[in-house]
Amino acid sequence: MKTSGAHALIEMLCSAGVKYIFGNPGTTELPLMDSLATDSRLQYVLGLQEVPVMAMADGFAMASGSIGVVNLHICAGLGNAMGMLYNAFREGTPLLVTAGQQDRRLRFEEPILWGDMVSVARPWTKWAAEIERIEDLPSAIRRAMQTALTPPTGPVFLSIPMDVQTELAEMDLALSPRPDPNFHPAPEAIRAGAEVLLAAKNPAILAGSRVVERGAIRELIAIAERLGTPVLAEAGTTHGRLSFPADHPLYAQGLPLWSAEVHDRLSDFDALLVVGMDLLREYVYQEPARALPHGIRVVHLDEDPRQLGKNYPLTVAIWGGTKAGLADLDAELNRQMTSAQREIAAGRSAKIGATHAAARDALVQDAAAQRDARPMTPLTAMSSLARVLPDNIAVIEEAVTTTGTTLERLGALKNTTGYFGHRGWGLGWGLGCSIGVKLAWPDRPVVALLGDGATLYGVQGLWTAAKYRIPVTFAIMNNAQYQILKIGAAQQGLPAARAGQFVGMDMTQPEVDFVGLAKSLGVRAERITEPDQLSELVGKSLAGDEPRLFDVQIERDIPGRLNYG
């Protein structure tokens, strides 16, 4: 039986278990939209602009562990979405991004909105193609899905001309089975890695987002406890997911952003186990040029062979699935460890745990000392939120100068799956991402901690939350400035910045009325100035059944540095 290209796409998406298409349609997508109008199996989630649309799909894919599907409007729509596509590319989020294209019979005339979208999308996707024949559509969809979901995961792009969407053909719409990404590394690499770690006098672990994305937290905990090593998270430039329990005694928080501070933080260690992270993806150039201390021995496990030895020479490179590789390494460590080594590891573990507990106590005392300051300090705001976050909370964070990993340092994040941080640093991501996370996890409370500047890049997403009654709590950390730029300028030693002079970094005269803006888009909103008010209203909102926005007034002083550790 013949079917149209649009119906074939819908059928294959449904067969793959897709529930939502996130999009903002235009003329070149009308055949697909017409087919969706008579097929109730997929829900089209409408966004008013492509930035929140892409971010919604990104959040849904990360939370659900399945592919996210985006439908954009030809060249202009793709152009609007490119910043969020960059984020997904740096995260490795499996997205199928589609866009309609002009009819092939009109293409030679270079019609309105037509363009080479494949070349535009290719740098920030794993694979990009335009479907030239309807007979190739099933193969293109199969290839796109398998490419997106196979490690290293990432977004893919398909351009689908209007006439391909409407043309009829007989096609095989069967899907291919998804390959198992959890492959075991070579045993000799595992043995060599274990030998290096056991020979070290003071080893440490650097863990990244792919640990939680591959469900390997338990295996990493086992290795950390066996070796008695601190576990440091990747720096804020890549710290997208919580790679180790925040309340575990061995959790040593995140690496700093700046090269000199990374060097100092790692200088006491003689060996590192690196897993699930890019080594290293730094912020801006600073001396020393090489952040890792010279002579440190590095064992790196990753599913992406390109990451192994990409920036730093390795002592042992282990190519394999994150979960399987960590399980194999733990078994080998257990086999090789002597009773003396186990005793040393236990003593080291107790000492590390005591140090980390003391640091947490000091942070609690700092928060108490700042509680009476008005406007609230970032630490006051975060500690007020920490008191009301339930154990199953999902936190989406795009307010780096306010949050500063405070929730992790307080041990307030009680689950490892529910943290989503910025990895691409294309602004406007957090608001839409939180909506996608909530659609993936309807039974879990979701809070988005957003900078005021970042919010304004994707604020149209509030309308989507209101239209579909998606109960996300949006907390805008309002200091009326792009504070991270001021901190970065001062950190670079720029003369005007060090004198406190900035241009183009303040959102004042006039200030943005976030409460009025949210209400205009259908979301109930309030301004918050007191810590107890913040705790009370956010706690109620997290238990509610509608989206809420809170404009949280925080201090506008410029801190000397951005603390991630």
Side-chain angles (χ1 to χ4, degrees), residues 102-155:
Q102 289 282 15
D103 192 303
R104 292 169 295 173
R105 294 165 294 189
L106 191 61
R107 185 167 55 188
F108 186 76
E109 298 180 21
E110 299 183 3
I112 186 171
L113 292 175
W114 170 86
D116 183 4
M117 291 189 289
V118 171
S119 294
V120 171
R122 182 173 287 126
W124 296 341
T125 55
K126 288 185 67 180
W127 181 64
E130 185 163 297
I131 300 175
E132 298 286 354
R133 301 186 318 136
I134 187 172
E135 292 82 3
D136 294 330
L137 186 143
S139 294
I141 295 171
R142 281 191 290 266
R143 186 184 303 179
M145 287 187 174
Q146 181 164 324
T147 300
L149 291 165
T150 301
T153 57

Coordinates of all heavy atoms in Angstrom, one line a residue, residues 102-155:
Q102 N 11.8 23.6 0.5 CA 11.0 24.0 -0.6 C 10.9 22.8 -1.6 O 11.8 21.9 -1.6 CB 11.6 25.2 -1.3 CG 11.5 26.5 -0.6 CD 10.1 27.1 -0.7 OE1 9.1 26.4 -1.1 NE2 10.0 28.4 -0.3
D103 N 9.8 22.8 -2.3 CA 9.6 21.8 -3.4 C 10.8 21.7 -4.3 O 11.3 22.7 -4.7 CB 8.3 22.2 -4.1 CG 7.8 21.1 -5.0 OD1 8.6 20.6 -5.9 OD2 6.6 20.7 -4.9
R104 N 11.2 20.5 -4.6 CA 12.4 20.3 -5.4 C 12.2 20.9 -6.8 O 13.2 21.4 -7.4 CB 12.7 18.8 -5.6 CG 13.2 18.1 -4.3 CD 13.2 16.6 -4.5 NE 11.8 16.1 -4.7 CZ 11.6 14.8 -5.0 NH1 12.6 13.9 -5.1 NH2 10.3 14.4 -5.1
R105 N 11.0 21.0 -7.3 CA 10.7 21.6 -8.6 C 10.9 23.1 -8.6 O 11.0 23.7 -9.7 CB 9.3 21.3 -9.1 CG 9.1 19.8 -9.3 CD 7.6 19.4 -9.4 NE 6.9 19.6 -8.1 CZ 5.7 19.2 -7.9 NH1 5.0 18.6 -8.9 NH2 5.1 19.4 -6.7
L106 N 11.0 23.7 -7.5 CA 11.2 25.2 -7.4 C 12.6 25.5 -6.9 O 13.0 26.7 -7.0 CB 10.2 25.7 -6.3 CG 10.0 27.2 -6.2 CD1 9.5 27.8 -7.6 CD2 9.0 27.5 -5.1
R107 N 13.4 24.6 -6.5 CA 14.7 24.8 -5.9 C 15.6 25.6 -6.8 O 16.4 26.5 -6.4 CB 15.3 23.5 -5.5 CG 16.6 23.7 -4.7 CD 17.0 22.4 -4.0 NE 17.1 21.3 -4.9 CZ 17.3 20.0 -4.6 NH1 17.3 19.7 -3.3 NH2 17.4 19.1 -5.5
F108 N 15.6 25.3 -8.1 CA 16.6 25.9 -9.0 C 16.4 27.5 -9.1 O 17.3 28.2 -9.3 CB 16.5 25.4 -10.4 CG 17.5 25.9 -11.4 CD1 18.8 25.4 -11.3 CD2 17.2 26.9 -12.3 CE1 19.8 25.9 -12.2 CE2 18.2 27.3 -13.2 CZ 19.5 26.9 -13.1
E109 N 15.2 27.9 -8.8 CA 14.9 29.3 -8.8 C 15.3 30.1 -7.5 O 15.1 31.3 -7.4 CB 13.4 29.5 -9.1 CG 12.9 29.0 -10.4 CD 11.4 29.2 -10.6 OE1 10.8 30.1 -9.9 OE2 10.8 28.5 -11.4
E110 N 15.8 29.3 -6.6 CA 16.3 29.9 -5.3 C 15.1 30.7 -4.6 O 15.2 31.9 -4.4 CB 17.5 30.7 -5.4 CG 18.7 29.9 -6.0 CD 20.0 30.7 -6.0 OE1 20.0 31.9 -5.6 OE2 21.0 30.2 -6.5
P111 N 14.0 30.0 -4.3 CA 12.8 30.7 -3.8 C 13.0 31.2 -2.4 O 14.1 31.0 -1.7 CB 11.8 29.6 -3.8 CG 12.6 28.3 -3.6 CD 13.8 28.5 -4.3
I112 N 12.1 31.9 -1.9 CA 12.1 32.5 -0.6 C 12.3 31.4 0.5 O 11.8 30.4 0.4 CB 10.8 33.3 -0.3 CG1 10.9 34.1 1.1 CG2 9.6 32.4 -0.3 CD1 9.8 35.0 1.3
L113 N 13.2 31.7 1.5 CA 13.5 30.9 2.6 C 14.3 29.6 2.2 O 14.8 28.9 3.1 CB 12.3 30.4 3.4 CG 11.5 31.6 4.1 CD1 10.2 31.0 4.7 CD2 12.4 32.1 5.2
W114 N 14.5 29.4 0.9 CA 15.3 28.2 0.5 C 16.8 28.4 0.9 O 17.3 29.6 0.9 CB 15.2 27.9 -1.0 CG 16.2 26.9 -1.5 CD1 16.0 25.6 -1.5 CD2 17.5 27.2 -2.0 NE1 17.1 24.9 -2.0 CE2 18.0 25.9 -2.3 CE3 18.2 28.3 -2.2 CZ2 19.3 25.8 -2.9 CZ3 19.5 28.2 -2.8 CH2 20.0 26.9 -3.1
G115 N 17.5 27.4 1.1 CA 18.9 27.5 1.4 C 19.5 26.1 1.7 O 18.8 25.1 1.8
D116 N 20.9 26.1 1.8 CA 21.6 24.8 2.0 C 21.6 24.5 3.5 O 22.6 24.8 4.2 CB 23.0 24.9 1.4 CG 23.8 23.6 1.6 OD1 23.2 22.6 2.1 OD2 25.0 23.6 1.2
M117 N 20.5 24.0 4.0 CA 20.4 23.8 5.5 C 21.4 22.6 5.9 O 21.9 22.7 7.1 CB 19.0 23.4 5.8 CG 18.0 24.6 5.7 SD 16.4 24.2 6.4 CE 15.8 23.0 5.2
V118 N 21.7 21.7 5.1 CA 22.6 20.6 5.4 C 23.9 21.1 5.8 O 24.5 20.7 6.8 CB 22.6 19.5 4.3 CG1 23.7 18.5 4.6 CG2 21.3 18.9 4.1
S119 N 24.5 22.0 5.0 CA 25.8 22.6 5.3 C 25.8 23.4 6.6 O 26.7 23.5 7.3 CB 26.3 23.5 4.1 OG 26.5 22.7 3.0
V120 N 24.6 24.1 6.8 CA 24.5 24.9 8.0 C 24.5 24.0 9.3 O 25.2 24.3 10.3 CB 23.2 25.7 8.0 CG1 22.9 26.4 9.4 CG2 23.3 26.8 6.9
A121 N 23.7 22.9 9.2 CA 23.6 22.0 10.4 C 24.7 21.1 10.6 O 25.0 20.6 11.7 CB 22.3 21.2 10.3
R122 N 25.5 20.8 9.6 CA 26.5 19.7 9.6 C 27.5 19.9 10.7 O 27.9 18.9 11.5 CB 27.2 19.5 8.3 CG 28.2 18.4 8.3 CD 28.7 18.1 6.9 NE 27.8 17.5 6.0 CZ 27.4 17.9 4.8 NH1 27.9 19.1 4.4 NH2 26.5 17.3 4.1
P123 N 28.1 21.1 11.0 CA 29.1 21.2 12.0 C 28.7 20.8 13.4 O 29.5 20.4 14.2 CB 29.6 22.7 11.9 CG 29.2 23.1 10.6 CD 27.9 22.4 10.3
W124 N 27.4 21.0 13.7 CA 26.9 20.7 15.1 C 26.0 19.5 15.1 O 25.1 19.5 16.0 CB 26.3 22.0 15.6 CG 27.3 23.1 15.8 CD1 28.6 23.0 15.8 CD2 27.0 24.5 15.9 NE1 29.2 24.2 15.9 CE2 28.2 25.2 16.0 CE3 25.8 25.2 15.9 CZ2 28.3 26.5 16.1 CZ3 25.9 26.6 16.0 CH2 27.1 27.3 16.1
T125 N 26.1 18.6 14.2 CA 25.4 17.3 14.2 C 26.3 16.2 13.9 O 27.4 16.4 13.4 CB 24.2 17.4 13.2 OG1 24.8 17.6 11.9 CG2 23.2 18.4 13.5
K126 N 25.9 15.0 14.3 CA 26.6 13.8 13.9 C 26.5 13.4 12.4 O 27.3 12.9 11.8 CB 26.2 12.6 14.8 CG 26.7 12.7 16.2 CD 26.3 11.4 17.0 CE 27.0 10.2 16.4 NZ 26.7 8.9 17.2
W127 N 25.3 13.8 11.9 CA 25.0 13.5 10.5 C 23.9 14.4 10.1 O 23.0 14.7 10.8 CB 24.5 12.0 10.4 CG 24.2 11.6 9.0 CD1 25.1 11.5 7.9 CD2 23.0 11.2 8.5 NE1 24.5 11.1 6.8 CE2 23.1 10.8 7.1 CE3 21.7 11.0 9.0 CZ2 22.1 10.4 6.3 CZ3 20.7 10.5 8.2 CH2 20.9 10.2 6.9
A128 N 24.0 14.9 8.8 CA 23.0 15.8 8.3 C 22.8 15.4 6.8 O 23.7 15.2 6.1 CB 23.4 17.2 8.4
A129 N 21.5 15.4 6.4 CA 21.2 15.1 5.0 C 19.9 15.7 4.5 O 19.0 16.0 5.4 CB 21.2 13.5 4.8
E130 N 19.7 15.8 3.2 CA 18.5 16.2 2.7 C 17.9 15.0 1.9 O 18.7 14.4 1.1 CB 18.6 17.4 1.7 CG 17.3 17.9 1.2 CD 17.4 19.3 0.6 OE1 17.7 20.2 1.4 OE2 17.2 19.5 -0.6
I131 N 16.7 14.7 2.1 CA 16.1 13.5 1.4 C 15.6 13.9 0.0 O 14.8 14.7 -0.2 CB 14.9 13.0 2.2 CG1 15.4 12.6 3.6 CG2 14.2 11.8 1.5 CD1 14.3 12.2 4.6
E132 N 16.3 13.3 -1.0 CA 16.0 13.7 -2.4 C 15.0 12.8 -3.0 O 14.3 13.3 -4.0 CB 17.4 13.5 -3.2 CG 18.5 14.4 -2.7 CD 18.3 15.9 -3.1 OE1 17.3 16.2 -3.9 OE2 19.1 16.8 -2.7
R133 N 14.7 11.6 -2.5 CA 13.7 10.7 -3.1 C 12.9 10.2 -2.0 O 13.4 9.8 -0.9 CB 14.4 9.6 -3.8 CG 15.3 9.9 -5.0 CD 15.7 8.7 -5.7 NE 16.1 7.6 -4.8 CZ 15.7 6.3 -5.0 NH1 14.9 6.0 -6.1 NH2 16.0 5.3 -4.2
I134 N 11.6 10.1 -2.2 CA 10.7 9.5 -1.1 C 11.1 8.1 -0.8 O 11.0 7.6 0.4 CB 9.2 9.6 -1.5 CG1 8.4 9.2 -0.3 CG2 8.9 8.8 -2.8 CD1 6.9 9.4 -0.5
E135 N 11.6 7.3 -1.8 CA 12.0 6.0 -1.5 C 13.2 5.9 -0.5 O 13.4 4.8 0.1 CB 12.5 5.3 -2.8 CG 11.3 5.1 -3.8 CD 11.0 6.3 -4.7 OE1 11.7 7.3 -4.5 OE2 10.1 6.2 -5.5
D136 N 13.9 7.0 -0.4 CA 15.1 7.0 0.6 C 14.7 7.4 2.0 O 15.5 7.3 2.9 CB 16.2 7.9 0.1 CG 16.8 7.4 -1.2 OD1 16.8 6.2 -1.4 OD2 17.3 8.3 -2.0
L137 N 13.4 7.8 2.2 CA 13.0 8.3 3.5 C 13.1 7.3 4.6 O 13.7 7.6 5.6 CB 11.6 8.9 3.4 CG 11.1 9.6 4.6 CD1 10.2 10.8 4.2 CD2 10.3 8.7 5.5
P138 N 12.7 6.1 4.4 CA 12.8 5.1 5.5 C 14.3 4.9 5.9 O 14.6 4.8 7.1 CB 12.1 3.9 5.0 CG 11.2 4.3 4.0 CD 11.9 5.5 3.3
S139 N 15.1 4.7 4.9 CA 16.5 4.5 5.2 C 17.1 5.7 5.9 O 18.0 5.6 6.9 CB 17.3 4.2 4.0 OG 16.9 3.0 3.4
A140 N 16.7 6.9 5.5 CA 17.3 8.1 6.2 C 16.8 8.2 7.6 O 17.6 8.5 8.5 CB 16.8 9.3 5.4
I141 N 15.6 7.8 7.9 CA 15.1 7.9 9.3 C 15.8 6.8 10.1 O 16.2 7.1 11.3 CB 13.6 7.8 9.3 CG1 12.9 9.0 8.6 CG2 13.1 7.6 10.8 CD1 11.4 8.8 8.4
R142 N 15.9 5.6 9.6 CA 16.6 4.6 10.3 C 18.1 5.0 10.6 O 18.5 4.8 11.8 CB 16.6 3.3 9.5 CG 15.3 2.5 9.6 CD 15.4 1.1 9.0 NE 15.6 1.1 7.6 CZ 14.6 1.0 6.7 NH1 13.4 0.9 7.2 NH2 14.8 1.1 5.4
R143 N 18.7 5.5 9.6 CA 20.1 5.9 9.8 C 20.2 7.0 10.8 O 21.1 7.1 11.7 CB 20.8 6.3 8.5 CG 22.2 6.6 8.6 CD 22.8 7.1 7.3 NE 22.6 6.2 6.1 CZ 22.9 6.4 4.9 NH1 23.6 7.6 4.6 NH2 22.7 5.5 3.9
A144 N 19.3 8.0 10.7 CA 19.4 9.1 11.6 C 19.2 8.7 13.1 O 19.9 9.1 14.0 CB 18.3 10.2 11.2
M145 N 18.2 7.8 13.3 CA 17.9 7.4 14.7 C 19.1 6.6 15.3 O 19.5 6.8 16.4 CB 16.7 6.6 14.7 CG 15.4 7.4 14.6 SD 13.9 6.4 14.8 CE 12.6 7.6 14.8
Q146 N 19.6 5.7 14.4 CA 20.7 4.9 14.9 C 22.0 5.7 15.2 O 22.7 5.5 16.2 CB 21.1 3.8 13.9 CG 22.2 2.9 14.4 CD 22.3 1.6 13.6 OE1 21.3 1.0 13.2 NE2 23.5 1.1 13.4
T147 N 22.2 6.7 14.3 CA 23.4 7.6 14.5 C 23.2 8.4 15.8 O 24.2 8.6 16.6 CB 23.5 8.5 13.3 OG1 23.7 7.7 12.1 CG2 24.7 9.4 13.5
A148 N 22.0 9.0 16.0 CA 21.8 9.8 17.2 C 22.0 9.0 18.5 O 22.5 9.6 19.5 CB 20.4 10.4 17.1
L149 N 21.5 7.8 18.5 CA 21.5 7.0 19.7 C 22.7 6.1 20.0 O 22.9 5.6 21.1 CB 20.2 6.1 19.7 CG 18.9 6.8 19.8 CD1 17.8 5.9 19.4 CD2 18.7 7.3 21.2
T150 N 23.6 6.0 19.0 CA 24.8 5.2 19.2 C 26.0 6.1 19.8 O 26.3 7.1 19.2 CB 25.3 4.6 17.9 OG1 24.2 3.8 17.3 CG2 26.5 3.8 18.0
P151 N 26.6 5.7 20.9 CA 27.7 6.5 21.4 C 28.8 6.7 20.5 O 29.2 5.7 19.8 CB 28.1 5.7 22.7 CG 26.9 4.9 23.0 CD 26.2 4.5 21.7
P152 N 29.4 7.9 20.5 CA 29.0 9.1 21.2 C 27.7 9.6 20.7 O 27.6 10.0 19.5 CB 30.1 10.0 21.0 CG 30.7 9.6 19.7 CD 30.6 8.1 19.6
T153 N 26.7 9.7 21.5 CA 25.3 10.1 21.1 C 25.4 11.6 20.7 O 26.3 12.3 21.0 CB 24.3 9.9 22.2 OG1 24.8 10.6 23.3 CG2 24.2 8.5 22.5
G154 N 24.3 12.0 19.9 CA 24.3 13.4 19.5 C 23.2 13.7 18.6 O 22.5 12.8 18.1
P155 N 23.0 15.0 18.2 CA 21.9 15.3 17.3 C 22.2 15.0 15.8 O 23.4 15.0 15.4 CB 21.8 16.9 17.5 CG 23.1 17.3 17.9 CD 23.7 16.2 18.7

